Amino acid sequence: MNQFKNPSNHLQCVLRSYAMVHLDPYVKWYTDKRHRIQEDLIRQFRLQDPFVPIISGSIKKHTEINLRFDVDLICPFPFDHPAASSLSELHNAVLMFFQTYRHKDHQLLPPRQQNSSIGLRFTKGSLELAMDIVPGKEIGNGTYQKGSEYLHILDRNSRTHVQTNIVKQVEAIRGCPDTARKFIRLLKVWKTQFSIPVKSIVLELLVIRAFQSRHPKGNLWEQFQTVLESMIYELRRPDFKLKDPGYSKNDLAKTMTSWDRKRFLNGLEEILAHCGDRPEKITLYFTPNHNYL
């Protein structure tokens, strides 16, 4: 059967092409770079256990795709750390550290101040490693410990901070079914290719909610349709909320503006409308990584 008329086969092809296994030859460079950054942050800011940088993001949640290799490092600081008198000052201290770090590591491009993180990009020939450093401040003396890794994290856009537990966020995604992670990866491919303005954690939690509420069955495309229908239903609800697994008082639906949410919803509706009766059109929305076919 022609795979482009078989949506399940095509989706499997897309997943294989974005698998991280294709980047195995470069993993040592990525891993060494991450370890060096972790060690240098500990040394520069004199951090001691349990305040050591921890891996987060798609790598830790096993939802990564190979469009680019992303590493997120959460860097927790004690409540009374000299650099952490305020979250803004903490961010500036970490930013200044990496600005001077370029004299030591010439593969580092100019660091960027982002909403909640310091954005780093390292290059080696045609390779690029993206690394986001997220400084976090302990919410009170002695409160940060194993099983209770709550931090205050800067939100520059709203000129305030949020409290969350990144470890619990990661655990919530890592514990989802393997098939759910497949759909998360597919939606990340779509999100990247069509510049959909939605955070990855929103995608991840909406897919998990679909599995919890609708229990998708059938082949891969049939299950994906069920997931898309569930996501559309949620986004259409006027009372739509998305609880942060890291801190239940946070509503992650608020990370989207009304325009972002409409763009996200319209995109999902378009996939179902165009591909429901004409499954071959799925190739327009989910394109394989032709570097690894």
Side-chain angles (χ1 to χ4, degrees):
M1 182 178 289
N2 186 329
Q3 80 169 10
F4 295 104
K5 291 185 179 179
N6 183 320
S8 292
N9 285 356
H10 178 70
L11 293 176
Q12 290 285 15
C13 174
V14 173
L15 287 166
R16 285 193 297 270
S17 73
Y18 286 101
M20 295 303 293
V21 67
H22 300 296
L23 296 183
D24 277 354
Y26 316 116
V27 165
K28 187 179 187 305
W29 176 60
Y30 297 140
T31 304
D32 289 347
K33 187 72 69 178
R34 185 192 73 217
H35 285 163
R36 177 63 62 84
I37 293 295
Q38 288 175 295
E39 291 169 357
D40 288 345
L41 280 167
I42 291 170
R43 186 180 302 111
Q44 171 68 20
F45 293 102
R46 301 181 181 181
L47 299 172
Q48 297 180 351
D49 190 62
F51 299 97
V52 293
I54 56 177
I55 306 168
S56 177
S58 60
I59 298 295
K60 193 71 172 177
K61 293 182 282 191
H62 304 309
T63 60
E64 67 274 27
I65 55 176
N66 63 25
L67 281 175
R68 68 176 189 172
F69 199 103
D70 285 327
V71 175
D72 291 352
L73 284 180
I74 311 301
C75 193
F77 283 76
F79 182 78
D80 57 358
H81 191 282
S85 57
S86 72
L87 279 171
S88 293
E89 290 187 13
L90 177 58
H91 261 243
N92 289 336
V94 176
L95 177 63
M96 289 178 61
F97 168 64
F98 283 111
Q99 286 172 337
T100 59
Y101 196 84
R102 296 188 67 212
H103 300 300
K104 175 180 179 178
D105 189 335
H106 299 296
Q107 295 177 337
L108 176 62
L109 301 177
R112 296 174 294 116
Q113 181 74 280
Q114 300 174 152
N115 181 42
S116 299
S117 64
I118 311 300
L120 307 180
R121 295 291 182 273
F122 299 89
T123 58
K124 182 182 180 182
S126 61
L127 302 178
E128 180 176 305
L129 168 63
M131 188 180 301
D132 287 343
I133 310 297
V134 183
K137 180 178 178 179
E138 186 181 28
I139 62 175
N141 273 320
T143 60
Y144 186 87
Q145 52 191 289
K146 186 174 178 59
S148 183
E149 299 91 348
Y150 290 97
L151 294 170
H152 282 152
I153 294 174
L154 185 65
D155 184 340
R156 302 183 77 86
N157 291 343
S158 63
R159 299 182 180 180
T160 183
H161 67 265
V162 295
Q163 178 176 321
T164 194
N165 185 324
I166 302 295
V167 174
K168 288 187 180 297
Q169 286 185 350
V170 169
E171 289 173 349
I173 311 304
R174 279 178 63 120
C176 73
D178 288 342
T179 306
R181 280 197 287 271
K182 289 182 179 181
F183 298 142
I184 289 168
R185 292 189 185 102
L186 287 168
L187 287 165
K188 284 187 174 183
V189 170
W190 169 72
K191 164 192 165 179
T192 303
Q193 292 178 341
F194 287 87
S195 302
I196 305 298
V198 58
K199 289 182 176 292
S200 292
I201 192 169
V202 172
L203 283 179
E204 292 162 346
L205 293 176
L206 279 171
V207 171
I208 290 172
R209 181 175 289 184
F211 270 75
Q212 291 171 340
S213 63
R214 304 217 178 182
H215 311 289
K217 292 180 173 56
N219 61 38
L220 196 65
W221 171 234
E222 289 167 344
Q223 292 186 58
F224 197 21
Q225 285 179 292
T226 300
V227 169
L228 294 174
E229 289 165 359
S230 172
M231 296 173 72
I232 290 168
Y233 168 78
E234 295 290 347
L235 290 167
R236 283 175 176 170
R237 291 173 52 186
D239 60 344
F240 168 61
K241 293 183 179 180
L242 201 58
K243 184 172 71 173
D244 178 2
Y247 189 56
S248 60
K249 292 184 179 180
N250 294 338
D251 179 10
L252 295 176
K254 293 180 179 178
T255 63
M256 296 182 286
T257 65
S258 58
W259 185 89
D260 292 342
R261 182 169 163 182
K262 183 175 178 58
R263 173 79 176 89
F264 182 25
L265 173 60
N266 288 348
L268 296 174
E269 291 174 332
E270 182 180 319
I271 294 171
L272 276 185
H274 286 188
C275 303
D277 297 327
R278 300 281 303 277
E280 66 273 15
K281 286 196 171 185
I282 200 169
T283 61
L284 300 175
Y285 300 98
F286 300 94
T287 306
N289 186 337
H290 293 286
N291 293 321
Y292 301 114
L293 283 177

